[in-house]
Amino acid sequence: MNGIKGRLAKGAAWITAARLITNLLGLVSTLVLARLLTPGDFGIVALGWTVLAILNSVTEISIGAVLIHHPNPTREHLDTAWTLSAMRAAAVAAMLMVVAIPAESAFAEPRLPAVLAALAISTLLGGLGSPRRILLTRGLVFWQQFLIEVSQKLVGLIVAAVFAFTFRSYWALVAGTLASDLTGLVISYVVAPFRPKPGLRHWREMFGYSIWLTLAQAINTLNWRFDHLLIGAFLGKTPLGYYSVGDNLAAMPTREAIAPLTSVLFPAFAHVKNRDDGGLEKVYQSSQALVTMIALPVGVGMALIAEPLVRLTMTDKWLPAVIVIQALSAVFAVQTLGSLAQPLAMATGDTRLLFKRDVQAFILRVPSVVVGLWLGGLAGVAIARAIAGVIGIFFNLQVVRQLTGIGYLAQLRPNLRSLTSAGIMVAAVLGSRAALPSGVETSQLVLSLSSQIAIGAAAFIGAQLLLWNLMRRPEGPETELIALFKRLLIGRGARLLGRWA
């Protein structure tokens, strides 16, 4: 267990560094492009991305999960994985071309077929990467993910920004996507050299494991993309631009904050799944508590500062996106309760439970979004998603209970300190607003934004430490973080002493 924790700490450090950099680059990209392009430009490309996401989901093979879950993948498994990935990419590219004309008619957007054609090329690039990089992840080695993710994001940002400055066109978003996928393809073979040799010897084995993941992914994507299609069809590309950018900004803090952990937990769970000493349950509980403690302050905090942040960085033309950010960022943070059901089920091989969970979420969410659109337009959709998201937490808790036997209250109990601290943070920020500048001048927005961030951070950290001490410092995410910092400091100190010696 200590060996796994050590590798997890190193892996999390690599992914944390990658996420910090890619998160910053992604935020810069969104803010720069939002100033140079119009909401309608984002709406056009969002339609293309939505169509691509749906086609990707219904053809997903989950090759990476198969290779990580397999006890001893061979060269022939890699050949099969590469061949299936290439075949799938070619099939998705062909389907994009087939649906281009019907999509143009359905959304009354003559520019959409050209966008879909460009995304077909992007799909082909993404499907030809080296499968050997997955074996590094399987061994809890993650430096290659740092190199690939940072390189992709940096190149994509540069290309998109150049196109946006030069042409002021939605093609900047498409060009950035193409450049990012091409970079990922090249770097994958640099970090994990592989000579492709087409073969399908193990295709049955791979399909046997991934079939439920494919079905779950298809339902889940339809669930998460249905609202984009609905808004594009009934409200138009400009509201869809507000919604897609707001959705992305709302998800970014929570997604990027917990990605270093969630990325390493699937292989970590796979390593301890067969232990008979309750190792899997212990790792899950401690990991979930840590994820919640990290996700809640950043997600809820994003909801609190949404309006001054949008006014300051994206100008008032993007104000309709504020309600989307406020409604979704908080619920994304709360939804992390039980969110580790996904890597847990994949590690144990019980992926049918994920399909069942996603069907339940689909049945709940789609009618909610339709009613929300009918009653409240764009804001109604965001609020409906938030309500459905909170209810959907219990679907994840149910999966965890079936996999580990941990009851609902037992799952929630380790997260109570973080939930209480988040509530105190909200009260502190809202209570301080009367004393903060309320104007729309740049200096006033900067002061208001920085003050709210400082107050929120101090309130959450202070409340978390106070509650932990009042409870006599029980084992939990606080002790995990303290132990991690000690290991990092000791390791750095040892290296410095070695250099002096």
Side-chain angles (χ1 to χ4, degrees):
M1 185 67 72
N2 288 332
I4 291 175
K5 282 188 175 181
R7 283 184 286 167
L8 284 177
K10 292 180 181 179
W14 276 111
I15 298 177
T16 297
R19 287 295 179 174
L20 286 173
I21 296 172
T22 56
N23 190 24
L24 178 60
L25 292 174
L27 181 60
V28 170
S29 176
T30 299
L31 298 180
V32 169
L33 296 177
R35 283 182 170 268
L36 297 173
L37 305 178
T38 67
D41 291 330
F42 280 87
I44 294 168
V45 181
L47 284 174
W49 284 335
T50 298
V51 173
L52 175 59
I54 292 173
L55 292 178
N56 273 334
S57 69
V58 299
T59 59
E60 180 63 54
I61 307 175
S62 302
I63 289 171
V66 174
L67 293 178
I68 291 174
H69 181 265
H70 196 281
N72 186 31
T74 64
R75 166 66 200 227
E76 290 180 337
H77 285 93
L78 297 180
D79 292 334
T80 303
W82 184 89
T83 305
L84 288 175
S85 180
M87 291 172 61
R88 171 183 172 272
V92 172
M95 285 188 283
L96 281 172
M97 302 305 297
V98 169
V99 304
I101 301 303
E104 175 187 1
S105 300
F107 296 101
E109 180 50 69
R111 294 168 289 184
L112 188 54
V115 172
L116 292 177
L119 293 179
I121 299 173
S122 175
T123 300
L124 288 172
L125 295 174
L128 298 176
S130 169
R132 282 196 67 243
R133 69 189 187 279
I134 301 169
L135 296 186
L136 295 174
T137 301
R138 183 179 183 275
L140 300 179
V141 177
F142 296 94
W143 62 266
Q144 81 287 356
Q145 287 192 25
F146 173 89
L147 186 58
I148 292 174
E149 290 178 10
V150 172
S151 299
Q152 282 187 290
K153 186 65 73 172
L154 180 60
V155 173
L157 167 60
I158 293 172
V159 171
V162 169
F163 267 75
F165 275 114
T166 305
F167 302 107
R168 302 299 174 101
S169 166
Y170 60 92
W171 280 107
L173 297 166
V174 178
T177 300
L178 286 168
S180 177
D181 286 331
L182 178 59
T183 302
L185 173 63
V186 173
I187 298 296
S188 74
Y189 284 94
V190 172
V191 301
F194 179 75
R195 181 175 295 178
K197 181 181 178 182
L200 293 171
R201 180 170 181 176
H202 295 283
W203 73 270
R204 292 181 183 274
E205 182 180 351
M206 292 191 172
F207 273 101
Y209 173 82
S210 66
I211 183 62
W212 289 110
L213 284 177
T214 299
L215 294 174
Q217 180 70 16
I219 290 293
N220 197 35
T221 302
L222 288 172
N223 189 12
W224 288 100
R225 293 288 181 170
F226 177 78
D227 42 6
H228 290 75
L229 295 176
L230 201 65
I231 292 171
F234 289 96
L235 299 182
K237 62 180 182 295
T238 297
L240 178 58
Y242 293 132
Y243 187 78
S244 62
V245 171
D247 190 2
N248 182 54
L249 288 176
M252 187 179 295
T254 301
R255 181 186 64 216
E256 302 301 338
I258 67 173
L261 277 173
T262 56
S263 296
V264 302
L265 285 176
F266 171 29
F269 289 157
H271 273 270
V272 301
K273 65 181 179 181
N274 294 322
R275 294 170 62 99
D276 56 4
D277 60 352
L280 180 60
E281 291 79 5
K282 293 176 183 177
V283 172
Y284 170 80
Q285 287 280 61
S286 61
S287 301
Q288 181 59 70
L290 183 57
V291 165
T292 302
M293 189 180 73
I294 295 172
L296 277 176
V298 295
V300 175
M302 184 65 172
L304 292 170
I305 64 171
E307 183 174 350
L309 178 65
V310 169
R311 285 186 182 274
L312 178 64
T313 59
M314 299 168 63
T315 73
D316 287 0
K317 71 179 180 181
W318 285 95
L319 282 178
V322 169
I323 183 62
V324 179
I325 300 172
Q326 291 173 331
L328 298 185
S329 57
V331 77
F332 285 153
V334 177
Q335 276 184 311
T336 55
L337 293 169
S339 62
L340 299 188
Q342 180 89 13
L344 187 64
M346 292 171 64
T348 59
D350 296 320
T351 52
R352 183 176 61 87
L353 295 177
L354 297 179
F355 174 69
K356 179 181 177 181
R357 176 203 64 180
D358 291 335
V359 170
Q360 292 172 328
F362 182 80
I363 293 172
L364 169 67
R365 188 175 179 214
V366 168
S368 301
V369 169
V370 172
V371 172
L373 179 68
W374 179 49
L375 294 178
L378 188 66
V381 172
I383 294 171
R385 271 192 61 181
I387 294 172
V390 172
I391 298 173
I393 292 172
F394 293 96
F395 299 151
N396 274 326
L397 299 181
Q398 183 181 28
V399 172
V400 175
R401 183 181 184 182
Q402 291 179 270
L403 292 172
T404 64
I406 304 172
Y408 297 122
L409 291 179
Q411 291 182 55
L412 294 174
R413 194 174 296 116
N415 305 288
L416 291 180
R417 287 195 300 278
S418 297
L419 288 167
T420 303
S421 299
I424 294 172
M425 179 185 73
V426 171
V429 173
L430 293 180
S432 68
R433 282 184 176 173
L436 297 176
S438 58
V440 295
E441 297 296 327
T442 299
S443 58
Q444 294 172 320
L445 290 172
V446 170
L447 181 58
S448 175
L449 188 62
S450 58
S451 299
Q452 290 185 62
I453 292 173
I455 292 169
F460 183 86
I461 295 172
Q464 189 80 16
L465 291 176
L466 177 61
L467 291 172
W468 184 53
N469 280 281
L470 288 175
M471 298 177 70
R472 298 183 179 181
R473 300 188 175 189
E475 290 290 328
E478 300 88 353
T479 52
E480 291 287 341
L481 284 179
I482 290 172
L484 175 60
F485 284 132
K486 285 182 177 179
R487 285 197 296 269
L488 292 176
L489 290 174
I490 291 173
R492 184 173 179 80
R495 286 194 295 272
L496 289 174
L497 288 175
R499 290 177 185 176
W500 291 339

